[in-house]
Amino acid sequence: QVQLVESGGGLVQPGGSLRLSCATSRSISSFNSMGWYHQAPGQQRDLVATITVGGSTNYADSVKGRFTISRDNAKNTVYLQMNSLKPEDTAVYYCTALSHGLGRRYWGQGTQVTVSS
């Protein structure tokens, strides 16, 4: 059973920064890719950023230049550095991992990010 555990969410003022962490119960290299999605109340879950096993990254247009996804293979942890946060970034942020082969997707429990003055 794969476990993804997010941490680092919270309340921050507009323009501030947060770093989310996602610790996995399995080696990061056992996944084809890992990433972050977010979901605001009443809205669908949308892609924020992904990183492949080869290190390629992809970002939603709304976060390009502000968010950075990275990983620490030794710690089996993926990070999302969020800078210049805006109120519209407020959402529950979910870590996700996509397995090789059958492409099974795993989800964490989510962490709340609130951007408000």
Side-chain angles (χ1 to χ4, degrees):
Q1 182 71 12
V2 174
Q3 289 187 317
L4 305 176
V5 180
E6 302 103 330
S7 60
L11 173 64
V12 63
Q13 293 187 343
S17 299
L18 282 175
R19 188 177 79 157
L20 305 183
S21 300
C22 173
T24 77
S25 59
R26 226 161 70 177
S27 169
I28 287 179
S29 61
S30 70
F31 300 114
N32 185 57
S33 67
M34 294 189 68
W36 295 90
Y37 282 63
H38 66 189
Q39 186 170 22
Q43 298 190 19
Q44 66 182 19
R45 192 173 296 187
D46 289 326
L47 171 74
V48 176
T50 60
I51 184 166
T52 70
V53 64
S56 298
T57 58
N58 182 51
Y59 296 92
D61 287 342
S62 61
V63 306
K64 284 180 180 176
R66 300 188 298 122
F67 291 10
T68 303
I69 189 170
S70 63
R71 66 189 182 193
D72 185 331
N73 290 346
K75 295 182 178 180
N76 290 330
T77 300
V78 172
Y79 303 98
L80 185 68
Q81 178 67 44
M82 305 186 294
N83 299 328
S84 302
L85 282 160
K86 305 175 181 180
E88 51 263 43
D89 295 319
T90 295
V92 177
Y93 283 72
Y94 295 92
C95 178
T96 185
L98 186 66
S99 68
H100 295 286
L102 295 179
R104 180 174 177 179
R105 184 171 292 281
Y106 302 92
W107 295 95
Q109 81 286 354
T111 185
Q112 177 70 47
V113 171
T114 302
V115 185
S116 175
S117 54

